[in-house]
Amino acid sequence: MNTSETQMDPTAERKLSLSAHALVLVIICAIGLVGNTVATDIPIADGFVGLIVLYVISMVGLVLTELVPIKLPSVAWISLIGILATLPWTPGSEWIVAQATNVNFLTLATPCLAYAGIAIAKQEIDIAKSSGWKIFIVAVLVMTGTYLGSAFIADLFL
Amino acid sequence: MQRTMEIVLDWRLHVSVLIITIISELIGVIVVPIGIGSILLLPLLYAFILGMLINPNVIKRAGVWIKDSDVSAASPLIVIAIMPFIAKFGTIIGPQMEQIIDAGPALLLQELGNLGTIVIAFPIAVLVLRMGRESIGACFSVAREPNIAIIADKYGLKSQEGTGVMGVYVIGTLFGTFIFAILASLLSTAGIFSIEALAMACGIGSGSMMAACTGALATAVPEMKDQILALAGASNVLTYATGIYLGVFVALPITEKLYDLLGRKDTTIKAGE
């Protein structure tokens, strides 16, 4: 009984090792480079250097996730490193920004969503079916609520 | 359990993603004008649909190409695949740090706007749809991974509250990118909120939803692209950092109290059947 619960709990996701992350990131960046070249007029060589920069930022973030005792998700560390590396006060930040500019941000999300579409499990479809239309309406309202709520408060204080 | 290397080197999976990426990018952004604004269809949305179409759990006949082992291998790769995107966002935030500090108060306070899930969704779930305690799990947050952890910790995932949070999580996984892309493109063209406010609201605490949301905004208002991405990215980092505390100490207690006020008294009896 208990196994179905742990299987369905998305927070209990299998952990891959750091070296596996390093290898997968190479594949992801290669797919990203193809996407970037298809979607934009940016020469493949420029996109290549840009993706190497993003790869290094991601890896530094992953290493920090392992080393630092404060528990933050790896994406939080990665964005922190990306921010620190490109602050106007950071030496060499102009070069990093210039390289990263050669990668289109929206194209980078495309492979991720392809994996997400392929990853949908049978259980997830079963849950969606059995929860029915009520939970669908509630979910749409939940997402609308967080978006409108944040936009409303932000507008008040801008 | 699959061995790590089988997941990492699942070539059928990676080749599929590569082909889907190329097709999606070749189609490009499509603008669909409707009455109050326009909806932007983005390559990442096509990628998600194409991924589902070759998923044997969705289309049975896709099983000749993608096996069950590929499906389960894809799951841990989602988080890794979003990492270069998150890194790219960091490099957009850094250079604009001064503007972000200027927007600091609005940026911090709009995190409280995530309580909008309780304001809008909860009364309808309880009063109109007559839902029981699953409305607590469903409505206290936007139901991403940290919020599931909160509910799992407090009630267990097999409780009614657990059913609620998992239901919204799954619908969010299946339709979240579409919903946020539609919300962002409609509101950006409707002119009710400022673009900066809409950008901050895109920091939902989910990489793919933020991608859809900012993608729609930045395509609708290309001249403000860098500003949109910087504000959304900063807000998203804040949500990663504050979301769990807002959930545990504010959102969940409020939802519990409201349920005592609004909820049907007979649901507890029904649950005991």
Side-chain angles (χ1 to χ4, degrees):
Chain A
M1 287 301 272
N2 218 6
T3 49
S4 70
E5 179 158 342
T6 43
Q7 261 176 13
M8 213 30 243
D9 182 357
T11 57
E13 217 151 66
R14 235 171 327 185
K15 282 268 174 284
L16 295 178
S17 67
L18 198 58
S19 54
H21 272 92
L23 198 55
V24 173
L25 269 173
V26 171
I27 298 169
I28 306 274
C29 286
I31 297 173
L33 181 60
V34 175
N36 197 52
T37 313
V38 173
T40 65
D41 298 328
I42 300 164
I44 194 162
D46 294 350
F48 181 71
V49 182
L51 274 158
I52 287 180
V53 167
L54 297 180
Y55 179 87
V56 171
I57 293 173
S58 304
M59 283 310 297
V60 174
L62 281 169
V63 171
L64 286 177
T65 313
E66 299 259 310
L67 293 183
V68 181
I70 309 166
K71 283 288 154 249
L72 275 180
S74 49
V75 280
W77 283 115
I78 293 169
S79 51
L80 206 62
I81 299 302
I83 294 169
L84 289 177
T86 54
L87 286 174
W89 311 283
T90 306
S93 68
E94 275 162 40
W95 185 83
I96 297 176
V97 173
Q99 302 316 313
T101 310
N102 285 326
V103 184
N104 179 288
F105 89 100
L106 205 46
T107 307
L108 279 181
T110 310
C112 172
L113 275 137
Y115 284 109
I118 299 172
I120 287 171
K122 204 174 170 316
Q123 287 139 307
E124 292 183 304
I125 294 172
D126 291 343
I127 288 182
K129 276 185 187 158
S130 65
S131 308
W133 58 276
K134 282 188 183 180
I135 207 78
F136 181 83
I137 294 175
V138 171
V140 172
L141 291 172
V142 160
M143 286 179 260
T144 311
T146 190
Y147 195 63
L148 288 180
S150 297
F152 178 73
I153 295 186
D155 235 0
L156 287 184
F157 290 94
L158 272 170
Chain B
M1 185 185 278
Q2 288 160 288
R3 277 181 297 126
T4 304
M5 277 305 132
E6 281 173 18
I7 299 175
V8 173
L9 300 175
D10 187 335
W11 63 270
R12 223 183 291 117
L13 181 60
H14 300 304
V15 167
S16 307
V17 169
L18 177 66
I19 293 168
I20 289 175
T21 303
I22 294 172
I23 296 173
S24 304
E25 294 300 341
L26 283 176
I27 301 173
V29 178
I30 298 175
V31 181
V32 184
I34 61 164
I36 35 170
S38 45
I39 295 175
L40 297 162
L41 303 178
L42 305 169
L44 59 101
L45 301 177
Y46 320 143
F48 187 64
I49 294 175
L50 291 172
M52 287 212 291
L53 289 179
I54 62 164
N55 184 327
N57 293 319
V58 182
I59 307 284
K60 277 226 169 57
R61 270 200 282 166
V64 296
W65 170 246
I66 292 289
K67 313 286 176 210
D68 283 344
S69 61
D70 302 317
V71 171
S72 56
S75 175
L77 299 184
I78 305 171
V79 190
I80 308 179
I82 202 74
M83 287 174 182
F85 174 82
I86 296 289
K88 164 75 185 174
F89 253 88
T91 67
I92 298 168
I93 300 171
Q96 304 218 37
M97 203 29 113
E98 284 181 40
Q99 289 94 308
I100 286 173
I101 292 170
D102 286 342
L107 203 50
L108 274 174
L109 287 164
Q110 60 83 33
E111 288 297 323
L112 292 173
N114 294 333
L115 300 173
T117 58
I118 306 171
V119 179
I120 294 183
F122 189 69
I124 298 196
V126 176
L127 299 175
V128 181
L129 300 173
R130 313 293 280 168
M131 284 167 69
R133 290 190 67 85
E134 59 262 49
S135 57
I136 297 175
C139 302
F140 89 105
S141 73
V142 72
R144 296 330 291 163
E145 286 81 355
N147 311 113
I148 295 174
I150 295 173
I151 292 290
D153 188 51
K154 189 143 187 230
Y155 309 96
L157 283 182
K158 291 199 164 174
S159 62
Q160 291 191 58
E161 293 86 347
T163 310
V165 75
M166 284 312 297
V168 176
Y169 173 79
V170 168
I171 303 292
T173 305
L174 294 176
F175 303 102
T177 46
F178 299 90
I179 293 169
F180 280 106
I182 292 171
L183 278 173
S185 36
L186 284 182
L187 287 169
S188 67
T189 40
I192 309 165
F193 297 108
S194 69
I195 298 297
E196 290 93 336
L198 292 174
M200 289 182 197
C202 285
I204 300 140
S206 150
S208 53
M209 292 183 195
M210 177 180 69
C213 188
T214 52
L217 272 188
T219 314
V221 196
E223 62 277 14
M224 289 179 68
K225 187 179 152 213
D226 282 353
Q227 208 182 346
I228 289 167
L229 302 188
L231 290 172
S235 158
N236 202 50
V237 178
L238 273 177
T239 307
Y240 283 138
T242 63
I244 201 152
Y245 302 102
L246 189 73
V248 172
F249 295 113
V250 186
L252 195 51
I254 291 179
T255 317
E256 283 270 10
K257 278 264 154 25
L258 276 177
Y259 187 78
D260 289 342
L261 285 173
L262 302 177
R264 286 182 301 163
K265 299 297 169 239
D266 56 307
T267 45
T268 39
I269 303 161
K270 255 185 113 181
E273 277 173 0

